[in-house]
Amino acid sequence: MSDNGVDEHPREKQRGPVVLRRGRREELTTTDQRLLDSRGHSDWVHTDPWRVLRIQAEFVEGFGALAEVPSAVTVFGSARTGRDHPEYQIGRDLGRALAEAGFACITGGGPGAMEAVNRGCSEAGGFSVGLGIELPFEQGLNPWVDLGVNFRYFFVRKTMFIKYSQAFICLPGGFGTLDELFEALTLVQTKKVTKFPVVLFGTEYWQGLYDWVKGSVLGGGKVGEKDVDLLYLTDDIEDAVRIVREAHQAWADAH
């Protein structure tokens, strides 16, 4: 609070590129929710075609903002990771290592593990990118994002993560991290994207999931051996960066 009684750092909520502060933060619905919710009056039949223009605009804004981003790695992880948690320091070290290897770091732009990666990257002089999303609770881009883009629609944001990344690294995280993890695996499996390593960082956290995929999903014949091989488990930052670098070099040699 400043001397004249004005709150210089008010809490805020993002709605696409729009920032809402103070009393304007009270709207609880999101643009995605209003798009996907088919209940209620039939007015949606007349408004949805206009939403296409907003969706188109988000793609145009995202492509324009990210067009000059160098080779990048997207890192996912929990927004709930505290700054005093060991995983926060791991994220910070990982962001620094990726920057020193010549990669930009892309995260969801939020707090926790995302902030840690952005911070490590920015502190090392790297290109730190945050792709935010409109949520029903307040979040906002963390202060270590050098280039930030806010989205209303999850599917537009997901396109940007894939299009501008050479690899995914997943730190321990929740449903959002799992969503992005399996989205990436599906796109690689179906060859919608070319060689694209997916690294699970933290074997203690991810081993159970990996064992389930290998034992139940592969064991039940729902995927093949090559599909399981798309996942890399590691606890070593240098190993994670090596996997990313080798995959990127293989892609560069092929092109």
Side-chain angles (χ1 to χ4, degrees), residues 170-172 178 181 199-216 228 231-235:
C170 295
L171 296 172
L178 292 171
L181 165 62
V199 180
L200 301 179
F201 195 97
T203 55
E204 182 178 357
Y205 187 85
W206 293 111
Q207 191 69 54
L209 175 65
Y210 182 81
D211 291 342
W212 173 76
V213 169
K214 195 165 186 178
S216 296
V228 178
L231 285 168
Y232 301 85
L233 272 73
T234 186
D235 290 308

Side-chain angles (χ1 to χ4, degrees), residues 14 16 107-110 130-134 139-141 148-153 157 161:
Q14 292 171 337
T107 78
L131 306 183
I133 186 68
E134 175 188 334
Q139 183 164 298
L141 294 175
V149 184
N150 289 306
F151 295 92
R152 289 184 173 92
Y153 299 101
R157 180 180 182 237
F161 281 135

Side-chain angles (χ1 to χ4, degrees), residues 219-237:
K222 305 301 187 291
V223 297
E225 287 278 1
K226 291 183 178 180
D227 299 325
V228 178
D229 290 342
L230 297 174
L231 285 168
Y232 301 85
L233 272 73
T234 186
D235 290 308
D236 186 79
I237 290 176

Side-chain angles (χ1 to χ4, degrees), residues 88-109:
Y88 185 93
Q89 186 59 50
I90 289 172
R92 195 171 168 183
D93 292 341
L94 177 61
R96 179 182 300 109
L98 288 169
E100 290 173 349
F103 293 99
C105 289
I106 302 176
T107 78

Side-chain angles (χ1 to χ4, degrees), residues 12-246:
E12 64 182 41
K13 176 182 175 182
Q14 292 171 337
R15 189 174 63 195
V18 178
V19 175
L20 303 174
R21 291 176 174 165
R22 303 180 182 88
R24 300 294 180 181
R25 296 182 292 111
E26 296 174 0
E27 183 179 345
L28 297 179
T29 62
T30 66
T31 309
D32 262 333
Q33 180 183 342
R34 293 190 293 275
L35 171 67
L36 299 174
D37 193 345
S38 61
R39 297 171 297 174
H41 197 273
S42 61
D43 283 352
W44 66 270
V45 175
H46 306 290
T47 58
D48 273 1
W50 290 103
R51 285 185 176 137
V52 173
L53 297 177
R54 176 178 283 180
I55 294 168
Q56 176 182 318
E58 284 213 345
F59 276 112
V60 172
E61 295 252 351
F63 292 152
L66 301 172
E68 301 302 323
V69 172
S71 298
V73 176
T74 290
V75 183
F76 292 106
S78 176
R80 304 184 184 191
T81 303
R83 290 179 176 173
D84 58 347
H85 196 284
E87 289 171 6
Y88 185 93
Q89 186 59 50
I90 289 172
R92 195 171 168 183
D93 292 341
L94 177 61
R96 179 182 300 109
L98 288 169
E100 290 173 349
F103 293 99
C105 289
I106 302 176
T107 78
M114 294 175 281
E115 176 189 287
V117 173
N118 285 135
R119 181 175 181 177
C121 177
S122 183
E123 288 175 334
F127 200 146
S128 176
V129 181
L131 306 183
I133 186 68
E134 175 188 334
L135 295 171
F137 47 86
E138 297 152 22
Q139 183 164 298
L141 294 175
N142 69 68
W144 299 98
V145 168
D146 299 324
L147 171 64
V149 184
N150 289 306
F151 295 92
R152 289 184 173 92
Y153 299 101
F154 266 109
F155 58 88
V156 179
R157 180 180 182 237
K158 285 182 175 182
T159 300
M160 302 303 156
F161 281 135
I162 292 289
K163 181 172 176 57
Y164 294 101
S165 297
Q166 274 68 53
F168 275 1
I169 298 178
C170 295
L171 296 172
F175 287 159
T177 301
L178 292 171
D179 176 47
E180 298 293 354
L181 165 62
F182 284 104
E183 175 100 15
L185 289 173
T186 302
L187 291 172
V188 177
Q189 180 197 45
T190 56
K191 301 188 185 302
K192 296 296 185 181
V193 294
T194 52
K195 183 65 175 177
F196 193 99
V198 180
V199 180
L200 301 179
F201 195 97
T203 55
E204 182 178 357
Y205 187 85
W206 293 111
Q207 191 69 54
L209 175 65
Y210 182 81
D211 291 342
W212 173 76
V213 169
K214 195 165 186 178
S216 296
V217 185
L218 175 63
K222 305 301 187 291
V223 297
E225 287 278 1
K226 291 183 178 180
D227 299 325
V228 178
D229 290 342
L230 297 174
L231 285 168
Y232 301 85
L233 272 73
T234 186
D235 290 308
D236 186 79
I237 290 176
E238 290 186 6
D239 187 38
V241 174
R242 176 190 60 79
I243 291 168
V244 172
R245 186 188 293 114
E246 289 179 355

